[in-house]
Amino acid sequence: MTKMTFLAVLILSTSFGLAGQPAKSHVSIVCPQNASTNIYLAAKEVRRYVYLTTGELLSISSSLSSKSSIVLKTDKGLGEQEYRLKTEGDMLTISGGSDVAVLYGVYAFAEKLGVRFYIHGDVIPDGKIAFKLPELDERHKPLFELRGLQPFHDFPEGPDWWTKDEWLSIVSQTAKMRMNFIGLHTYPFHNTTLGPEPTVWIGLPEDVNEDGTVKSANFTTWYNTQKLQPYGCYAPGKTSSFSFGGAEVFPTDDYGSEINTADDFPFPKSPEANVALINRTGKFLNTIFEEASSLGIKTCVGTESPLDIPDNVTAKLKDKGLNPTDSSTLQKIYEGMFLRIQRAYPVDYYWIWGHEGEIDQKRYITNLLCANEALKSTKVPFGLGICGWGWITGNFPVLDRILPKNIVFSAINMSVGNAPVSENFGQITNRQKWAIPWFEDDPALTSLQLHAGRIRFDAVDALKYGCNGFFGLHWRTTALSPNISALAQAGWEQGEWSRQEPDKISERDVSVIGGKTEAYLNNVVSGAGNNPVYQTLRSGVKGYRFKVTNGTYNVTLHFQEPVYKEAGKRVFAVKLQGNEVLKELDIYKTAGEFTALTRSFENIVVQDGELRLAFVKIAGNPCISAIEVSGNGFSKKINCGGTACLDYEADAATETVPRSLPVTDFYEDWAVAQFGREVGSDAAKIFTKLDGNYPTPSGWNRGPGVIVINPQPWNSVEPNYQYVAQMEGLFPHVKGNGNKSRFEWWLNTFKFNRSMAMLGCARGKLDAIISRIDKVSDADICRRMANDEALPVRKEMVKILGEMYQSLLATLNNSTELGTIANIELQSMLRVGILKGQDGKLEKFLGVPLQPELQPWKDYRGEPQLTVMNARSSLSERESLNLKIIAMDKQPMQAVNVRFRPLGKGNWQTIGAIHVARAVWNVPLPAFKEDIEYQVIAKTATGATLIWPATAPEHNQTIIITK
């Protein structure tokens, strides 16, 4: 074995005891002193996961001393991201085409030991297993070159509030899940509610210092609790006003990103403060992106187009005699932006998004061309791409002809992810293409959202359309772990579930997908003769399906343009059996207004019993007036959008394309890993049924995730939440502390959703009562109705809300859940008044203030709780870690301590935590020279002991120290 290929060897000399107990063994990891950072990390990761799952601690040395071994090496015969696991005799080789691919192989090996990786952390199976070298011969390479995340700034549930340590943990977990992309979007709007966010700075080259800091900056801000949020949704409020113990988890009244200083609330108060915030953000992103780069993760930032030029930059341009609207000036601004990025933090791509609305195509293209020239003139080492809301894909064909092929095309799915990946990705060739489905939508941001089947569906489409990138848009983390895991897996392998044919949606002879009917009965259509089918049409149609026998058919399509009076407004492509038969049909350009147009196609071959007609939007909505299909003894005519006439049948009823592929296999593995074999299969059935079919108790109300006021009685809604009781029924059968802890997390998430629904129904009931009282003129009757009918409902609402909060607080895991608390408080409670919205009328009817017991209580009344909010799994050499801990009970904790020791050996040391405020504690851990394990122990006021993680002392939290 040469120095070129030999990088690290894990040596195992293992024997096994009785009854599955691991016997003592001599094991060492041979890692050459000149091994790369990632190979060194790979060896340590093998040691970590073998230790956690078996109790065996492997030693590390630089010499080979035994025959049984695991070899870690690079193999240039493999692709850059390809890895192989192969057992030969007493040796298992984990090889990869790069050191990052070797890491991928190691994490795949850890999964053989029962470990599972999720974006919020690792899942280690309870108990210990006997370690045995597995018999393996596997070779894996990704289906997509890029796979990963698109965390969305703008709401506190998302990266606005993620701390540096939380970000670094997400980066680490991204690599463990064998994903390799993280991209950020930046809102540039010039107002005090939605940005401009400080991720991307806009300015001139002369205002960028050599270290990436900037000399001047316009107004900028990230969300904090003192700031009015986008659309006026999150009302400003102090965290001390939060109810039911919610205040306890925030150390300060004004809360926001850790990048903020006290002067940044609600937003920076001076030009110097804006500059400082931009520069702190640059350093923050540098730390995150450098770590990502070291693990092979590509990063991307970008803002929107047409570019909003800040006021201070506009003033400077005018002083220089430059016109802000000139292309040369716009290029100069992009040069400044790109130079700042190059010097401030490493990225691999810069993407330009269309505004969140229909784009001005001409200005958008101008921005892209100017940015591309700026990219060349500055010679920055990153690529350029476009992105935007799903409608941007309608412009793909035009943009593809105009923009250079080096520019990446990407877009997020339409209808907040409810629509599939656009077929227009399939029309683009010879350039990178990134499809971005939604892990969750923002209207239901506080609700349960399970979409593993939808992600699988989109993965199949993205692969079919030739995309090389596949990412998911999200704000939250733990709550979305099934969705994110489904994307990570589908980026590498698409098994039997991918071979289902979801477009076979109906057994009807004719079915139609999408669109709406339109009638133009008074229009005279030239060339139509006496045929009335041209007076109706189906607009926005996706496709038609005809159930036929196999053979060849002739198809005639009838069109007319009743709306537009110029070319380019309605342009679409048409496919038959997946083959494009009309490339860019513009009815007006071809035939004119109110003019019949027909196109016929012969010898269309059907081999699977279905003739498929698809319409692909380019501009405007595709439309069709009639369809004729004949051949092989079959003849059918359809009056699209209309009723039966002449020999044409009425249009078919609209059907919806399925948005989900099978997930039974996915949830079987997921639930067993999460909750153990005792309940895993039964829990998997619950999650499988919920996937894509969960009830949603929150929605958009001038903001995301607001609790919906529901006029339906609870007894009619309650059956939708039977899954909560089903989950509760499994809990007594869960075995193992880790399984129980994870099960309780999901059970509390389910209960939180049910309580939101109960609260919405209770408020709807209260509203109905108040409406009836409003119609009564007699004051005594009003008072009696308010006392006898309204007050009991109002009292029940407080109880429901308190229970809802206890469930939510029991899910604390990281800043995402802090954001959910802020959402409930500052939107549903403060702005919408879900609880107190009728209090003014109630007090008027009663003639007295409401009793204190009808008001939310402030103290925490749940079970004692101990959580580390920023649990890292790796640290670099000389890096210290300040643990952020929530230790909460009905009374303040007596003490919180951290016990730690070198991984698997040595004496325990203890560091006392520092009480910051309320239920928040900090523990400044020193920089470590070797891997460690630790546990957090808290003593309650009554003398009870809490320990974190729940698996300690069997499985403590572990930290790997990297180069």
Side-chain angles (χ1 to χ4, degrees):
M1 194 176 293
T2 68
K3 278 190 175 182
M4 293 295 291
T5 59
F6 177 77
L7 292 174
V9 180
L10 167 62
I11 305 303
L12 301 164
S13 176
T14 308
S15 60
F16 299 93
L18 300 176
Q21 296 299 315
K24 298 296 181 182
S25 64
H26 177 71
V27 181
S28 65
I29 303 172
V30 178
C31 184
Q33 292 181 354
N34 62 348
S36 72
T37 299
N38 282 331
I39 296 297
Y40 180 70
L41 171 61
K44 291 189 134 195
E45 291 286 49
V46 171
R47 185 173 77 153
R48 184 221 299 261
Y49 292 115
V50 168
Y51 169 67
L52 286 172
T53 55
T54 72
E56 301 272 352
L57 183 67
L58 313 180
S59 61
I60 298 178
S61 68
S62 58
S63 60
L64 184 64
S65 60
S66 180
K67 295 181 180 179
S68 185
S69 59
I70 296 179
V71 179
L72 310 177
K73 70 173 187 178
T74 56
D75 181 350
K76 297 307 179 184
L78 299 173
E80 185 177 356
Q81 296 187 57
E82 189 176 8
Y83 66 87
R84 187 176 187 183
L85 310 176
K86 183 174 178 61
T87 307
E88 295 178 292
D90 292 331
M91 178 177 289
L92 169 65
T93 302
I94 303 177
S95 55
S98 64
D99 57 0
V100 169
V102 174
L103 260 181
Y104 290 165
V106 165
Y107 294 132
F109 171 70
E111 290 177 338
K112 305 294 183 185
L113 302 175
V115 178
R116 293 294 182 270
F117 302 110
Y118 302 102
I119 204 64
H120 61 282
D122 301 345
V123 168
I124 310 298
D126 285 322
K128 294 286 195 288
I129 61 172
F131 185 53
K132 183 178 181 180
L133 211 60
E135 292 291 333
L136 298 171
D137 190 359
E138 302 177 2
R139 185 168 174 169
H140 301 276
K141 62 180 179 180
L143 300 174
F144 300 95
E145 178 187 348
L146 299 174
R147 314 155 304 281
L149 311 174
Q150 208 262 290
F152 216 87
H153 286 279
D154 69 348
F155 299 132
E157 290 89 339
D160 275 27
W161 279 12
W162 295 353
T163 66
K164 180 198 74 172
D165 287 318
E166 288 171 338
W167 256 116
L168 291 173
S169 177
I170 285 171
V171 166
S172 176
Q173 296 304 124
T174 298
K176 291 180 186 181
M177 297 176 74
R178 301 187 283 288
M179 297 190 295
N180 63 345
F181 180 91
I182 296 175
L184 302 179
H185 164 275
T186 304
Y187 276 114
F189 304 149
H190 288 275
N191 58 52
T192 58
T193 62
L194 187 58
E197 296 160 333
T199 313
V200 174
W201 169 86
I202 301 172
L204 296 168
E206 56 261 37
D207 286 327
V208 183
N209 297 314
E210 288 298 320
D211 63 354
T213 58
V214 298
K215 301 171 185 176
S216 65
N218 207 59
F219 170 80
T220 186
T221 179
W222 267 348
Y223 172 71
N224 59 75
T225 56
Q226 286 301 297
K227 173 187 165 189
L228 184 68
Q229 245 295 68
Y231 326 107
C233 51
Y234 294 75
K238 294 184 179 296
T239 65
S240 57
S241 69
F242 290 2
S243 308
F244 306 104
E248 289 297 302
V249 299
F250 294 90
T252 58
D253 262 1
D254 303 334
Y255 192 83
S257 168
E258 67 177 1
I259 296 174
N260 289 330
T261 67
D263 292 333
D264 294 330
F265 294 92
F267 41 78
K269 298 176 176 60
S270 68
E272 294 76 18
N274 286 312
V275 168
L277 180 54
I278 287 284
N279 290 337
R280 287 195 301 272
T281 302
K283 293 179 180 177
F284 182 85
L285 293 178
N286 183 65
T287 300
I288 296 161
F289 290 173
E290 280 197 342
E291 179 70 9
S293 180
S294 73
L295 294 172
I297 298 171
K298 306 294 185 183
T299 54
C300 179
V301 297
T303 189
E304 297 186 351
S305 168
L307 191 65
D308 284 325
I309 301 176
D311 296 338
N312 69 318
V313 179
T314 299
K316 185 170 291 189
L317 292 173
K318 290 180 178 179
D319 289 342
K320 292 175 174 288
L322 299 175
N323 186 346
T325 63
D326 284 351
S327 295
S328 58
T329 305
L330 190 58
Q331 178 181 330
K332 184 64 66 175
I333 293 173
Y334 277 114
E335 288 173 357
M337 295 163 61
F338 293 168
L339 284 173
R340 183 260 175 169
I341 290 171
Q342 178 190 16
R343 296 170 184 176
Y345 47 77
V347 296
D348 298 280
Y349 298 96
Y350 184 93
W351 52 12
I352 296 178
W353 288 57
H355 274 312
E356 194 171 345
E358 290 290 341
I359 63 172
D360 181 329
Q361 192 181 84
K362 183 177 180 181
R363 292 182 64 200
Y364 187 70
I365 291 171
T366 298
N367 269 252
L368 263 296
L369 295 175
C370 289
N372 196 51
E373 290 303 311
L375 201 74
K376 291 187 286 186
S377 64
T378 55
K379 299 180 181 179
V380 291
F382 49 82
L384 186 65
I386 65 172
C387 196
W389 282 256
W391 42 258
I392 201 172
T393 57
N395 292 274
F396 272 6
V398 175
L399 296 173
D400 186 45
R401 290 196 301 269
I402 297 173
L403 298 178
K405 288 292 186 178
N406 64 289
I407 296 178
V408 182
F409 277 25
S410 65
I412 60 180
N413 287 18
M414 287 280 280
S415 302
V416 293
N418 292 310
V421 173
S422 172
E423 291 183 349
N424 272 3
F425 275 107
Q427 308 302 308
I428 307 304
T429 58
N430 300 319
R431 71 166 76 240
Q432 291 193 68
K433 300 179 290 186
W434 303 340
I436 310 178
W438 299 54
F439 289 135
E440 61 178 332
D441 61 72
D442 44 346
L445 188 56
T446 53
S447 293
L448 176 72
Q449 297 194 49
L450 297 174
H451 286 303
R454 193 173 82 179
I455 292 296
R456 282 183 159 186
F457 185 102
D458 290 339
V460 171
D461 275 356
L463 191 63
K464 178 173 66 176
Y465 300 147
C467 295
N468 72 302
F470 186 53
F471 322 133
L473 184 155
H474 68 111
W475 290 265
R476 297 178 292 174
T477 54
T478 315
L480 303 178
S481 57
N483 306 347
I484 300 174
S485 181
L487 183 142
Q489 293 177 21
W492 283 85
E493 184 177 359
Q494 296 182 8
E496 285 299 319
W497 55 264
S498 69
R499 286 181 269 279
Q500 179 178 341
E501 294 190 34
D503 58 347
K504 288 184 176 295
I505 63 172
S506 177
E507 291 301 316
R508 299 176 185 171
D509 288 342
V510 181
S511 57
V512 59
I513 305 165
K516 62 180 181 179
T517 61
E518 295 180 5
Y520 301 91
L521 303 180
N522 296 324
N523 291 341
V524 177
V525 179
S526 176
N530 295 321
N531 194 338
V533 296
Y534 291 101
Q535 293 182 326
T536 61
L537 57 82
R538 178 170 288 275
S539 176
V541 62
K542 300 289 186 183
Y544 278 82
R545 304 287 187 265
F546 293 83
K547 188 178 180 182
V548 296
T549 57
N550 292 345
T552 59
Y553 293 84
N554 300 326
V555 178
T556 298
L557 308 179
H558 299 261
F559 307 95
Q560 73 106 341
E561 178 53 68
V563 177
Y564 298 112
K565 302 181 187 301
E566 59 180 296
K569 292 296 186 180
R570 190 198 304 271
V571 185
F572 55 94
V574 179
K575 293 181 177 180
L576 276 167
Q577 299 305 87
N579 299 315
E580 189 173 70
V581 293
L582 293 174
K583 186 175 180 61
E584 293 182 13
L585 178 63
D586 185 326
I587 302 172
Y588 181 88
K589 183 178 179 180
T590 304
E593 184 184 24
F594 304 139
T595 302
L597 175 68
T598 62
R599 288 290 183 266
S600 297
F601 310 96
E602 297 180 345
N603 299 320
I604 304 300
V605 178
V606 173
Q607 295 178 320
D608 57 1
E610 187 175 71
L611 189 147
R612 296 183 295 278
L613 177 66
F615 298 84
V616 182
K617 175 181 176 179
I618 297 174
N621 284 320
C623 69
I624 181 77
S625 289
I627 303 171
E628 300 179 33
V629 178
S630 63
N632 205 33
F634 177 92
S635 179
K636 193 173 287 287
K637 297 181 177 181
I638 304 298
N639 180 17
C640 302
T643 58
C645 63
L646 302 179
D647 56 348
Y648 288 81
E649 297 180 14
D651 200 359
T654 306
E655 298 195 38
T656 303
V657 175
R659 285 291 289 121
S660 185
L661 287 177
V663 288
T664 300
D665 63 309
F666 173 84
Y667 279 113
E668 181 72 24
D669 179 82
W670 183 85
V672 169
Q674 293 280 327
F675 314 134
R677 296 195 176 279
E678 292 81 5
V679 302
S681 293
D682 290 331
K685 293 175 184 176
I686 296 173
F687 279 85
T688 298
K689 187 174 182 180
L690 282 172
D691 193 87
N693 298 295
Y694 51 85
T696 305
S698 62
W700 189 275
N701 179 351
R702 285 173 42 216
V706 178
I707 299 172
V708 173
I709 297 174
N710 192 345
Q712 294 180 283
W714 171 243
N715 60 10
S716 69
V717 174
E718 185 177 15
N720 297 328
Y721 293 87
Q722 288 302 308
Y723 68 88
V724 185
Q726 294 167 3
M727 195 75 166
E728 283 183 296
L730 296 179
F731 184 63
H733 306 288
V734 181
K735 306 297 182 185
N737 290 336
N739 294 330
K740 288 180 179 178
S741 176
R742 292 183 288 271
F743 192 97
E744 286 183 304
W745 193 95
W746 281 100
L747 181 57
N748 278 303
T749 296
F750 286 3
K751 288 180 176 179
F752 169 65
N753 278 259
R754 181 178 63 184
S755 292
M756 280 201 293
M758 292 175 67
L759 183 65
C761 289
R763 173 58 192 271
K765 182 178 180 180
L766 180 62
D767 287 355
I769 295 170
I770 294 297
S771 179
R772 285 193 293 107
I773 299 175
D774 266 335
K775 298 174 183 177
V776 176
S777 57
D778 188 294
D780 289 337
I781 296 176
C782 286
R783 183 164 50 252
R784 185 168 62 251
M785 291 177 68
N787 187 74
D788 296 347
E789 298 183 46
L791 276 182
V793 178
R794 177 64 173 75
K795 186 175 183 179
E796 179 67 14
M797 288 175 66
V798 178
K799 179 176 178 292
I800 295 170
L801 196 54
E803 292 171 350
M804 185 187 87
Y805 255 88
Q806 299 317 310
S807 297
L808 174 57
L809 290 171
T811 66
L812 279 179
N813 188 66
N814 54 40
S815 291
T816 284
E817 288 79 32
L818 295 182
T820 303
I821 294 169
N823 189 320
I824 297 297
E825 280 286 349
L826 300 179
Q827 289 208 98
S828 293
M829 293 281 282
L830 183 59
R831 179 175 62 80
V832 176
I834 188 74
L835 178 66
K836 298 183 178 183
Q838 296 286 12
D839 284 3
K841 286 191 173 183
L842 261 180
E843 291 180 337
K844 175 185 174 183
F845 295 145
L846 293 168
V848 294
L850 296 184
Q851 307 96 312
E853 59 266 27
L854 292 176
Q855 303 305 326
W857 58 85
K858 293 296 181 184
D859 56 309
Y860 176 72
R861 299 181 182 180
E863 294 298 317
Q865 188 171 336
L866 181 64
T867 306
V868 173
M869 300 289 283
N870 58 338
R872 298 269 300 277
S873 66
S874 62
L875 295 172
S876 62
E877 293 176 328
R878 298 181 297 279
E879 183 184 4
S880 59
L881 175 63
N882 191 20
L883 290 182
K884 180 181 178 181
I885 299 168
I886 303 293
M888 191 158 50
D889 196 6
K890 299 176 183 67
Q891 301 177 56
M893 294 287 173
Q894 289 189 45
V896 178
N897 295 295
V898 173
R899 297 178 70 237
F900 65 94
R901 69 172 184 176
L903 185 67
K905 60 185 179 181
N907 297 322
W908 290 91
Q909 300 180 55
T910 301
I911 297 178
I914 301 168
H915 183 219
V916 179
R918 303 173 188 170
V920 181
W921 299 68
N922 279 348
V923 178
L925 295 178
F928 296 104
K929 295 182 179 179
E930 57 182 326
D931 304 344
I932 68 159
E933 58 183 318
Y934 73 90
Q935 53 188 235
V936 181
I937 300 173
K939 181 171 286 188
T940 69
T942 59
T945 298
L946 306 179
I947 189 167
W948 182 95
T951 53
E954 180 179 61
H955 298 141
N956 298 303
Q957 181 69 17
T958 58
I959 297 179
I960 297 297
I961 307 303
T962 66
K963 289 184 180 180

